[in-house]
Amino acid sequence: GSQGLQQVIDVFGRDYLTIDGELDRQKIAQLVFENKAALGQLESIVHTYVRCEAKKFLEQCRRQNFSAAVLDVPLLIECGWYKEVDLVWLVAVDEQTQIERAMARSGMSQQEVEVRIAAVSYTHLRAHETRHDLVCRLLLEKKKSTNFHFYSP
């Protein structure tokens, strides 16, 4: 029932809803990962919504005098959001770990995961090619610290 969902319906139609009126993530994913134009349309809707929510989150953190706030945003660099934060940390894993985690999380096959990674992946960007203040290579599972306030869309 959110404004973002209504925008998705306006662009893609009601065929991408479940019987309960929720977004059929599997069906929309199948469309956008096979159609770059559709992916661009969906990203435009989602990025606008996420950016608005992230700004609300940061404002809330400022009002509560948090010493740090973390935006866990996959496309922070590509969307230009890095201009609005003080520090950028790039956290990356090797491609095989990325594939294994995605398969475990989603139940997708390796081939399905590889298609999605190819469609949206910016992992080819290296620290010297973008603006990163700190580069972290994680070999262990990511754990969120309670010392920070996190926003993860």
Side-chain angles (χ1 to χ4, degrees), residues 1 11 17 42 50 59 63 70 73 79 89 122 124 132 153:
V11 172
L17 297 179
L42 182 62
V50 170
E59 183 54 40
R63 281 195 309 273
V70 176
V73 181
C79 294
W89 292 13
Y122 296 95
H124 64 282
H132 299 100

Side-chain angles (χ1 to χ4, degrees), residues 39-119:
L39 177 61
Q41 290 175 302
L42 182 62
E43 283 181 338
S44 177
I45 295 167
V46 171
H47 293 176
T48 300
Y49 176 78
V50 170
R51 186 176 212 142
C52 180
E53 292 301 308
K55 285 183 177 187
K56 288 178 190 176
F57 166 79
L58 290 173
E59 183 54 40
Q60 177 186 11
C61 290
R62 282 186 199 98
R63 281 195 309 273
Q64 294 180 11
N65 293 318
F66 282 106
S67 58
V70 176
L71 295 177
D72 181 8
V73 181
L75 301 177
L76 185 104
I77 300 295
E78 294 76 15
C79 294
W81 298 10
Y82 68 89
K83 298 171 189 168
E84 300 177 28
V85 298
D86 297 321
L87 256 161
V88 176
W89 292 13
L90 171 65
V91 179
V93 296
D94 62 90
E95 187 173 348
Q96 187 57 41
T97 301
Q98 183 181 14
I99 291 168
E100 290 169 3
R101 287 181 181 178
M103 289 171 59
R105 182 179 58 246
S106 68
M108 291 186 291
S109 71
Q110 182 169 341
Q111 183 179 5
E112 290 171 310
V113 170
E114 288 172 348
V115 166
R116 289 185 185 196
I117 289 172

Side-chain angles (χ1 to χ4, degrees), residues 1-17 21-23 28 42 45:
S2 74
Q3 183 179 8
L5 178 60
Q6 186 57 53
Q7 289 177 321
V8 171
I9 294 167
D10 292 346
V11 172
F12 298 102
R14 301 192 73 75
D15 291 343
Y16 291 92
L17 297 179
E22 300 292 322
L23 181 64
I28 195 85
L42 182 62
I45 295 167

Side-chain angles (χ1 to χ4, degrees), residues 57 61 66-70 89 144-151:
F57 166 79
C61 290
F66 282 106
S67 58
V70 176
W89 292 13
K144 293 184 177 180
S145 166
T146 56
N147 296 330
F148 293 96
H149 202 61
F150 281 85
Y151 174 74

